Amino acid sequence: MMSLTLELTVVWGYSIKAKKVAKSQHAHPLPPPSTLIGAIAKGLAQQDNSGETILTNSKIASRAQHYTHIFRAASTYLDTRPNGLPYMGKYWEDPIRYQILQFQREERRHLPNFRFNIVPAGKVYSPSSRLVVGYLIDEAAAKKTLGEQWENRLCAAAYMLTHLGSKESIVAVEEVELREASKHNGQNFETRFYQKAGLVRDARVVDRGPYGLGGIYVETFWENDYNWGAEPASVEYIVPGSRDPVTSCKMTVTPNPRSYVYMVGEDGIVIST
């Protein structure tokens, strides 16, 4: 197992819309695994000179579907400044003028009063903050899909990453590190990465950080499925930190039996056997 760690500087913030939103577009406090994998998959697809979509089993899918099996896990957290204070974000919903005629009954779609409306669009403002993104890489799958130079291709794709979520959510890649992921053999481990709730038996906050803002909350993401029109299953994750203001902190996790823990830098990520 290999770990790939990215340190990203967020320009203004980011916007990753939650699952099944339409007119009310609330967003996630932190980018979900599917967004993190999709972001690096874009660079891999560009290396292959391939388009944005592929055809698999007579279904249209994002090109990310071709690479998703390489990544056993993906997670992220807001880093800490050199002075020990945490980077923070503020959740906000901007009123945006959207076209809504497609939601109207056919007999009134042409009427001016039903063409546009004000829609709340969620985002996290966090100018110049630092995100740490961690991936666990299946070496055999990476070599089979990307070839003998898979390490170089993965690192190059990581440096090609330009945004997380919406195309306006610009990030700058500061550092990329690919190394062997050490297996954690103890019963408990500490981490700032969010974890799949189904793989965790217990989680406790180690350090809430300044202002007592840290804690633990549950966020619902979805399985990594990039097929067009599919409805991926919802998956709950345990997130160390707070929703608003958006912060990250450290927690101690007791994993479920028959699961493995690998270290990505100083933080662990639990995966199923």
Side-chain angles (χ1 to χ4, degrees):
M1 190 74 69
M2 301 289 287
S3 70
L4 180 65
T5 307
L6 281 61
E7 293 186 7
L8 311 176
T9 295
V10 177
V11 175
W12 63 265
Y14 46 86
S15 178
I16 297 100
K17 299 299 191 298
K19 180 182 174 183
K20 297 180 69 173
V21 297
K23 290 181 66 176
S24 178
Q25 299 187 5
H26 60 280
H28 290 296
L30 288 172
S34 55
T35 296
L36 301 176
I37 294 173
I40 195 171
K42 180 181 178 182
L44 294 172
Q46 289 174 336
Q47 294 173 9
D48 289 332
N49 293 317
S50 60
E52 294 184 1
T53 59
I54 58 175
L55 190 65
T56 59
N57 299 322
S58 301
K59 295 181 179 179
I60 298 175
S62 165
R63 189 66 184 177
Q65 189 72 14
H66 181 65
Y67 306 106
T68 186
H69 65 286
I70 296 174
F71 305 95
R72 290 296 308 275
S75 189
T76 187
Y77 63 84
L78 276 170
D79 204 0
T80 304
R81 302 174 189 270
N83 62 6
L85 294 176
Y87 287 102
M88 301 171 64
K90 179 68 181 80
Y91 182 79
W92 190 257
E93 292 187 353
D94 286 332
I96 305 294
R97 186 172 184 258
Y98 272 82
Q99 177 179 286
I100 60 167
L101 60 88
Q102 67 270 26
F103 300 112
Q104 307 302 319
R105 296 193 301 270
E106 185 175 358
E107 61 269 19
R108 68 181 192 182
R109 288 178 188 169
H110 67 286
L111 299 176
N113 289 343
F114 298 100
R115 291 179 184 174
F116 298 96
N117 202 349
I118 299 297
V119 174
K123 57 197 66 178
V124 174
Y125 285 110
S126 189
S128 301
S129 63
R130 184 70 62 94
L131 274 174
V132 177
V133 179
Y135 302 91
L136 286 177
I137 309 297
D138 186 322
E139 299 167 78
K143 184 176 181 179
K144 181 178 179 180
T145 304
L146 304 178
E148 295 292 336
Q149 299 297 317
W150 66 268
E151 296 106 321
N152 294 334
R153 289 196 58 187
L154 269 177
C155 290
Y159 276 113
M160 295 167 69
L161 197 152
T162 58
H163 63 277
L164 286 176
S166 67
K167 63 181 182 294
E168 298 86 5
S169 305
I170 302 170
V171 298
V173 181
E174 304 291 348
E175 188 174 343
V176 173
E177 182 180 36
L178 178 66
R179 64 180 180 180
E180 185 174 352
S182 60
K183 190 175 180 181
H184 181 80
N185 295 318
Q187 183 178 9
N188 301 325
F189 68 96
E190 292 187 355
T191 186
R192 288 166 287 182
F193 288 120
Y194 54 68
Q195 311 287 326
K196 271 190 176 182
L199 301 178
V200 173
R201 186 168 62 187
D202 184 47
R204 301 179 301 278
V205 174
V206 174
D207 181 12
R208 290 184 177 271
Y211 320 117
L213 291 173
I216 292 176
Y217 63 94
V218 176
E219 188 74 4
T220 301
F221 297 138
W222 50 92
E223 291 286 0
N224 302 322
D225 189 337
Y226 302 92
N227 285 298
W228 180 262
E231 185 176 335
S234 297
V235 183
E236 290 188 339
Y237 281 77
I238 297 176
V239 188
S242 61
R243 290 180 184 271
D244 190 19
V246 182
T247 64
S248 294
C249 67
K250 186 174 289 187
M251 65 179 176
T252 298
V253 175
T254 304
N256 281 336
R258 297 183 298 279
S259 61
Y260 297 133
V261 178
Y262 288 91
M263 303 305 294
V264 179
E266 299 177 354
D267 301 88
I269 297 180
V270 60
I271 60 174
S272 58
T273 54

